[in-house]
Amino acid sequence: MKKIWALPFIMVLFFSVLAACSNDQEAIPQEGNESTDEEVNGTEETEVEEGSGLIERNTDDDEEDTNGSSPNLGEGSTEDQIDLTVGDTGTIETTIQHFELTIDSVAMDSNLDGEKPDLDTFILVDVTIKNLHNEPLKLEETVEIFEVTSDLDGGGYWPVSELYDVDVDELSGELSTNESVSGQILFENNEGEEHYIRIRSGLVAASAVKNQVIWTLPAE
């Protein structure tokens, strides 16, 4: 009788132990899965690092290209000429040009061909340009590097012939090596004791033009 009563108790104890063992096996980490996860994570981290490196290298390459295309390439060999007057010739050196400009004559008027300037006076300048470079000189670009001012410490005004319906012998086209051409440049300016024609100061500061050239004009 005692054996019959003990049998169910033994069976319950057996199944309890079996269930506990099963739970312990589930709790044990699987070394194979951890290794796989580490490999996956390691691959992902390697890809991110390589991607960041490529971005940095591309950025550096862009900076090198920008520096390589900068107009500030070396020092010029042409000295400043800041005390010129009407009739004098200045020599100008840019990163791509080398030429002479002579101011032959200057006319100032508050009315030109029926047009009035936005400022106080028109300044019509007769010039002669000679190309000293071994490449053709683009005259439109050459004209645009000049400005007129009444204050050498201040800003200036660029050529304005395109802004008014006036008869100006404009300089256009290309000028071959050692050839010369004459034409006109139209400026406008405020009244002042003196007027100055010079290279645009910003171009000189950026070394796009290697030297400064200044002509002092009479007030009238």
Side-chain angles (χ1 to χ4, degrees), residues 109-111 117-122 188-192:
D109 203 323
S110 59
N111 188 304
D118 290 336
L119 303 179
D120 296 325
T121 183
F122 283 121
E188 63 178 350
N189 198 17
N190 292 313
E191 291 183 353

Side-chain angles (χ1 to χ4, degrees), residues 16 71 78 91 137 151 155 159 168 176 191 200 205 213-215 220:
S16 298
T78 306
T91 302
L137 184 70
D151 181 8
V168 175
S176 300
E191 291 183 353
R200 284 160 47 189
V213 181
I214 302 175
W215 288 266
E220 296 181 356

Side-chain angles (χ1 to χ4, degrees), residues 148-169:
V148 65
T149 183
S150 297
D151 181 8
L152 291 175
D153 294 326
Y157 300 98
W158 302 1
V160 295
S161 59
E162 295 182 355
L163 304 180
Y164 297 96
D165 185 16
V166 294
D167 185 16
V168 175
D169 184 13

